[in-house]
């Protein structure tokens, strides 16, 4: 814990030094991945509703889905689709369980890089785990603390063969959107609306002020 | 015989006949041996007639997938280098056609398998049932399939959408993905906790075909060297493990060790004999019975069993110890004949009966092994019996021809004789202390009880600890079922076996849904029974019905029925398809799956193997309960069954050894015809056994079956010494030269078993560690408990018995 906060402090110092050295850069450019992760990692668990639209070439109209998302740091994530069908994808550590009807299937998550990438993008973002994110993706952060965008491009060849890019957007410590661009041109857009849980960080206290 | 009665050396014609007969026997033996295959699998030391579960296990160990599985690791280097080596080696292995299944996480060549599954989806998919093609069923299935679009899996599903909107291909494919698989990185399997790429492969050759296994292993090594060449110092290193590696390694080790023991034993023995006889000629003659015994013993095993186990061969050197005794007795005891050339006759009359009795007691001991029901032990028994009998016959018939008056030289024997005399005179004074020691040892052994016999089957394995650790590590990495618990289904024919497998799979599915099992692999996913396939095809509707249902089902969905014409055509075509049979799969991309999970049983009928992925919620009791009531399906807990086998093995060996010992005692009793003499002969043997056991208990050695066999050998070998002391007592003839022969014989036995005791092969060393001290004790105790045999003043009168 001590070393963790020390590291973060080191990184902050570096950011400050860089900001001073390149003072020509606009102030918001200093909002970077460690800082975003700092904001996100304050939330240890959460629940949200999502609506998703998928745009698939060759289909007449988008595919709609909606349901709930929940996560619990460090590595639990559940996506429960309520419409059009009830199905659940639950990740706990390295175990992925798919449930549909009363059938369950269990898989080792890291044996399937395509799935692993998706899960880590969600899980890493929700829990503010920058190290994991950087292991699987090249990341670019833009915006400011109250309106940020995280662009991810996969490193792993098997994931990259399927997913061109992911864009996660949010405000403060909350993730509000997830867009995926697939190889071949299909696209999926997910809107996330966090439930007003008592544990949620109030909007008036946006983590840390930008320098 | 008539010539022999006349006195003098054997006549020329007799010599020629004997020598020719002997050469013929040895020559024939050599021819048989040259054509013999040498085995090394430890399953030869498993019983022949175990119960159903144990038989399944033995089939698995001997010829099942476990005996053919190789595990590879590529350790070190960069991720890219590891992935590159893994892919290159995998490619070379697949091209070599030496392997059934080569898995390294590389899915690039799965397209062929995918095409096959797609073409047969309506026979293979468990989703194909009557409800699936009703309006509601179609709508559900199509929505399911659509829900996969717009995910990373979508790219794979989209091209099939128009022909397979209900997602049957995807269902089969998902079922073929194992529930627990290694981590994938850079497109290949990697360890979760070390910089190591992983691969698993099964050889096409049977587990018992060691020559073919060695070829396959060499192919892997060559492929690795080719792949890693040019990567420099930091190139990934090859780690290789699995049953084939162990078997080949064991065979090599047993071969070199047997050779090593034979050479060192031969040299030590030669030195001893040279010291004793100071005559190279005597040395050569002394080795003839040994060589005869080893050749005839090996050839007999080959003729009886079809092959010779490496461990049996390793015993060749243990035999040297006992068979050379015959020659020593002869060479010394045939000396000093009144008329030149008649020494052999006197030996035959005075000493041969004792040697013959010693031979018979030994044969009794080893006969117990022949009838033990364990092929490995039976081989040892046949080897020893044939070896001892032929060595004794060679001594009896060939040595008189070559050395009618025994050995000429005296060498150091005078000193040995003096020492022997001292021992024989001095030891009886230690009788009571030795007896007390024996009682103490007995108390210790009884107090330790069953704890003493705590060695297990793995204690017999010649595989070094480091190799076992490597195996464990790769197994854990790959997450391959360690074969801990297997489910095996049987049937009288292929179809019955498949139907029983499907019955088991239905019960296992329930466990998977409850989360009590992560998953399982079964051959019926690519080869369902004909009954299941027929039922599936029968549930396909005709084209008109399907078309009508589709119109209803796709209302409001973004996939209009008008696009699904190809689906209707495919379903119509599928209705006329012939069921997939095993033969159809064999040449194809999924043939390896069938070969791995399905096999013809040695005794007739077929078996399939269901490989479990237990997962955290696994409970073996619930698994067994779930499968109860399916008599053709057995749950095999490998650890438990092996433990049970071993216990049974140990128990049977105890009975056999006791019977063997009993046979020895009865034989001695019949020959001696005196309770007093019988007791006198058995007493030192019993004490030798007890003291040896006590010593082992003190050393805290974990005893096993081979130690037990060693105890029987103490009795078998030691009875020779005890009988000689008995003979000395009754004939009153105890000249120091005879005692020296006894001592020399004992020394050679102790040395040869002592060499085995320090061998690297646990099975051999455990016998050596028991017999070497035991044989020495048997002699010392025979001397200690013998009364009135001390060499008297001057030579005793010699009386033929």
């Amino acid at each position: 814990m001590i070393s963790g906060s020390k590291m973060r402090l080191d990184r902050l110092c570096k950011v400050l030094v860089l900001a001073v050295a390149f003072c020509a850069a606009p102030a918001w450019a200093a909002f970077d991945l460690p800082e975003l992760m700092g904001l996100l990692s304050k939330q240890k668990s959460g629940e949200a509703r999502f609506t998703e639209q998928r745009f698939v070439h060759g289909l007449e109209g988008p595919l709609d889905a909606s349901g709930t998302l929940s996560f619990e740091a460090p590595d639990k994530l559940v996506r429960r689709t309520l419409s059009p069908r009830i199905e659940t994808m639950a990740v706990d550590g390295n175990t992925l369980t798919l449930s549909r009807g009363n059938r369950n299937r269990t898989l080792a998550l890291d044996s399937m890089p395509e799935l692993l990438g998706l899960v880590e993008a969600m899980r890493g973002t929700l829990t503010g785990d920058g190290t994991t994110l950087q292991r699987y993706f090249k990341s670019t952060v833009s915006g400011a603390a109250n309106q940020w965008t995280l662009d991810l491009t996969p490193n792993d060849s098997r994931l990259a063969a399927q997913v061109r890019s992911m864009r996660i957007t949010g405000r403060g410590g909350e993730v509000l959107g997830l867009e995926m661009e697939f190889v071949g041109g299909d696209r999926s857009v997910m809107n996330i609306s966090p439930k007003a849980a008592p544990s949620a960080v109030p909007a008036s206290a946006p983590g840390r002020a930008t320098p | 015989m008539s010539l022999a009665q006349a006195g003098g050396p054997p006549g020329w014609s007799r010599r020629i006949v004997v020598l020719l007969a002997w050469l013929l026997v040895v020559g024939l033996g050599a021819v048989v041996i040259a054509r013999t295959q040498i085995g090394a699998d430890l399953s030869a030391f498993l019983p022949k007639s175990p119960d159903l579960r144990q038989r399944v296990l033995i089939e698995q160990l001997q010829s099942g997938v476990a005996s053919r599985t190789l595990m590879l690791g590529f350790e070190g280097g960069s991720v890219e280098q590891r992935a590159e080596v893994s892919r290159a080696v995998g490619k070379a292995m697949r091209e070599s056609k030496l392997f059934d299944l080569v898995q390294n996480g590389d899915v690039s060549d799965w397209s062929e398998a995918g095409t096959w599954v797609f073409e047969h989806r309506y026979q293979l998919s468990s989703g194909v049932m009557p409800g699936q093609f009703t309006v509601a069923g179609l709508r559900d299935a199509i929505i399911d399939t659509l829900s996969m679009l717009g995910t990373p899996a979508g790219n794979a599903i989209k091209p099939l959408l128009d022909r397979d909107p209900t997602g049957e291909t995807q269902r089969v494919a998902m079922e073929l993905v194992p529930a627990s698989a290694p981590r994938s990185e850079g497109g290949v399997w990697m360890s979760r906790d070390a910089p190591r790429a992983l691969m698993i492969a099964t050889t096409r050759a049977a587990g018992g075909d060691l020559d073919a296994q060695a070829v396959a292993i060499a192919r892997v090594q060559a492929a690795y060297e080719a792949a890693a060449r040019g990567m420099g110092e930091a190139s990934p290193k090859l780690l290789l493990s699995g049953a084939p590696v162990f078997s080949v390694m064991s065979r090599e080790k047993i071969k070199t060790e047997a050779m090593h023991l034979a050479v060192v034993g031969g040299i030590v023995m030669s030195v001893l004999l040279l010291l004793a006889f100071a005559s190279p000629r005597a040395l050569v003659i002394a080795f003839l019975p040994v060589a005869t015994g080893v050749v005839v013993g090996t050839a007999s095993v080959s003729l009886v069993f079809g092959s010779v186990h490496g461990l049996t061969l390793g015993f060749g050197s243990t035999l040297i110890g006992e068979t050379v005794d015959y020659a020593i007795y002869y060479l010394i005891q045939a000396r000093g004949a009144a008329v030149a050339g008649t020494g052999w006759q006197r030996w035959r009359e005075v000493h041969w009966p004792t040697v013959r009795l010693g031979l018979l007691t030994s044969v009794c001991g080893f006969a117990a092994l022949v009838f033990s029901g364990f092929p490995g032990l039976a081989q040892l028994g046949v080897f020893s019996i044939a070896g001892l009998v032929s060595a004794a016959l060679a001594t009896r018939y060939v040595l008189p021809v070559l050395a009618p008056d025994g050995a000429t030289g005296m060498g150091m024997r005078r000193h040995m004789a003096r020492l022997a005399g001292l021992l024989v005179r001095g030891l009886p004074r230690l009788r009571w202390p030795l007896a007390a020691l024996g009682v103490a040892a007995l108390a210790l052994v009884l107090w330790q009880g069953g704890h003493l016999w705590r060695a297990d089957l793995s204690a017999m394995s010649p595989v070094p600890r480091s190799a076992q650790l490597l195996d464990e590590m790769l197994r854990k990495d790959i997450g391959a079922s360690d074969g801990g618990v297997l489910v095996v289904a049987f049937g009288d024919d292929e179809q019955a076996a498949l139907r029983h497998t499907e019955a088991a799979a239905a019960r296992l599915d329930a466990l998977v849904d409850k989360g009590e099992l992560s998953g399982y692999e079964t051959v019926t996913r690519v080869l369902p029974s004909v009954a299941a396939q027929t039922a599936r095809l029968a549930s396909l509707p005709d084209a008109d019905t399907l078309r009508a249902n589709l119109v209803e089902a796709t209302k409001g969905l973004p996939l209009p029925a008008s696009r699904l014409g190809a689906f209707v055509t495919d379903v119509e075509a599928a209705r006329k398809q012939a069921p997939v049979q095993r033969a159809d799969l064999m040449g194809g991309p999924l043939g390896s799956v069938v070969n791995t999970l399905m096999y013809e049983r040695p005794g007739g009928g077929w078996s399939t193997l269901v490989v479990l992925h237990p997962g955290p919620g696994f409970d073996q009791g619930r698994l067994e309960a779930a499968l109860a009531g399916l008599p053709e399906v057995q749950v095999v807990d490998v650890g438990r069954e092996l433990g049970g086998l071993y216990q049974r093995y140990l128990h049977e060996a105890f009975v056999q050894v006791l019977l063997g010992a009993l046979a020895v005692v009865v034989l001695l009793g019949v020959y001696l015809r005196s309770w007093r003499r019988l007791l006198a002969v058995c007493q030192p043997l019993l004490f030798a056994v007890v003291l040896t056991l006590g010593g082992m208990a003190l050393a805290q050695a974990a005893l096993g079956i081979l130690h037990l066999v060693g105890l029987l050998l103490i009795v078998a070998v030691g009875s020779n010494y005890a009988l000689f002391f008995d003979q000395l007592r009754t004939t009153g003839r105890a000249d120091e030269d005879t005692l020296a022969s006894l001592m020399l014989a004992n020394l050679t036995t102790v040395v040869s078993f002592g060499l085995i005791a320090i061998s690297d092969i646990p099975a051999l060393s455990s016998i050596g560690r028991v017999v070497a001290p035991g044989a020495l004790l048997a002699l010392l105790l025979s001397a200690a408990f013998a009364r009135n045999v001390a060499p008297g003043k001057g030579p005793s009168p010699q009386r033929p018995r």
Side-chain angles (χ1 to χ4, degrees), chain B residues 618-750:
Chain B
F618 180 71
D619 177 329
Q620 194 175 332
R622 282 204 281 268
L623 172 74
E624 282 167 359
L627 291 171
L630 296 177
E632 290 89 359
V633 177
Q634 291 289 330
V635 177
V636 181
D637 179 332
V638 174
R640 192 178 62 193
E641 299 306 332
L642 275 180
L645 263 181
Y646 184 78
Q647 281 311 314
R648 190 193 138 120
Y649 189 175
L650 187 63
H651 175 76
E652 283 200 17
F654 259 113
V655 173
Q656 303 298 340
V657 163
L658 282 179
L659 282 179
L662 186 68
V664 169
V665 172
V666 168
L667 194 70
L668 290 175
V670 167
Y671 176 79
L672 297 172
R673 294 178 183 284
S674 148
W675 288 107
R676 214 176 60 80
R677 282 174 71 191
L678 180 63
L679 188 69
V681 168
C682 291
Q683 201 180 20
L685 299 181
L686 183 67
F687 274 84
V689 167
V690 167
L691 279 177
T692 306
L693 266 180
M696 300 302 274
L698 268 186
Q700 303 199 319
L703 301 189
I705 284 153
L706 291 171
H707 295 94
L708 195 59
V709 173
L711 293 181
L712 182 59
L713 278 175
I714 295 180
V715 174
V717 174
S719 61
N720 291 338
Y721 311 134
L723 276 174
F724 260 96
F725 275 95
D726 174 74
Q727 190 204 3
L728 294 179
R729 186 165 39 207
T730 51
T731 58
R733 207 184 139 274
D735 65 290
E736 292 193 336
D737 211 20
T738 304
L739 287 177
S741 75
L742 206 57
M743 209 172 135
L744 186 57
N746 181 252
L747 207 53
T748 56
T749 301
V750 171

Side-chain angles (χ1 to χ4, degrees), chain B residues 413-655:
Chain B
R413 221 156 64 246
R414 216 180 297 280
H415 302 287
M416 291 183 80
R418 200 166 307 132
L419 184 64
L422 277 175
L423 278 177
V424 168
R425 274 190 296 273
L427 276 172
R429 279 177 222 150
L430 292 176
R431 196 183 307 149
W432 291 111
L434 280 172
L437 201 59
V439 171
L442 184 65
L444 179 65
V445 169
L446 289 178
W447 177 62
Q448 294 253 311
H451 177 69
L452 206 51
W453 302 93
R454 62 185 184 276
D456 57 16
L457 209 55
S458 65
M460 283 161 64
S461 166
V463 176
R465 187 83 191 114
S466 61
Q468 289 179 13
L469 288 177
L470 170 67
D471 194 66
E472 239 166 74
M473 181 180 85
L474 289 179
R475 216 171 262 291
K476 188 172 143 283
D477 273 352
I478 293 175
S481 118
D482 55 356
V485 179
L486 302 173
V487 172
V488 181
F490 320 97
D492 291 336
D493 54 42
E494 291 177 24
Q495 288 305 321
L498 290 173
R499 284 195 303 274
H500 296 145
T501 312
E502 278 161 352
R507 310 252 180 124
L508 294 177
D509 279 338
L511 289 182
V512 172
D513 292 338
K514 278 189 270 178
E516 289 175 6
L517 189 66
S518 285
Y520 62 94
E521 291 167 44
T522 165
V523 70
T524 49
R525 289 192 179 131
V526 295
L527 179 62
S529 68
V530 168
Q533 295 185 53
T534 314
R536 282 174 191 158
L537 294 183
S539 66
L540 297 175
D542 60 49
D544 292 336
T545 316
L546 183 57
R547 227 174 263 126
N549 287 352
L550 272 176
V551 171
E552 280 291 299
T554 55
K555 266 188 189 152
L557 294 183
L559 185 70
S562 58
R563 264 184 63 178
L564 300 175
F567 169 51
V568 178
T569 317
D570 277 9
V571 169
E572 187 59 28
R575 278 154 51 89
K576 297 182 190 75
Q577 266 177 325
V580 174
Q581 303 266 16
R582 199 178 68 87
D584 305 331
L585 278 148
M586 286 328 285
L590 292 166
S592 56
V593 175
V594 177
N595 276 339
T596 308
L597 295 177
M598 185 173 190
Y599 62 98
E600 193 164 9
R601 301 187 68 200
W606 284 77
S607 260
T608 71
L609 188 65
V610 179
V611 178
L612 300 178
H613 294 263
F618 180 71
D619 177 329
Q620 194 175 332
R622 282 204 281 268
L623 172 74
E624 282 167 359
L627 291 171
L630 296 177
E632 290 89 359
V633 177
Q634 291 289 330
V635 177
V636 181
D637 179 332
V638 174
R640 192 178 62 193
E641 299 306 332
L642 275 180
L645 263 181
Y646 184 78
Q647 281 311 314
R648 190 193 138 120
Y649 189 175
L650 187 63
H651 175 76
E652 283 200 17
F654 259 113
V655 173

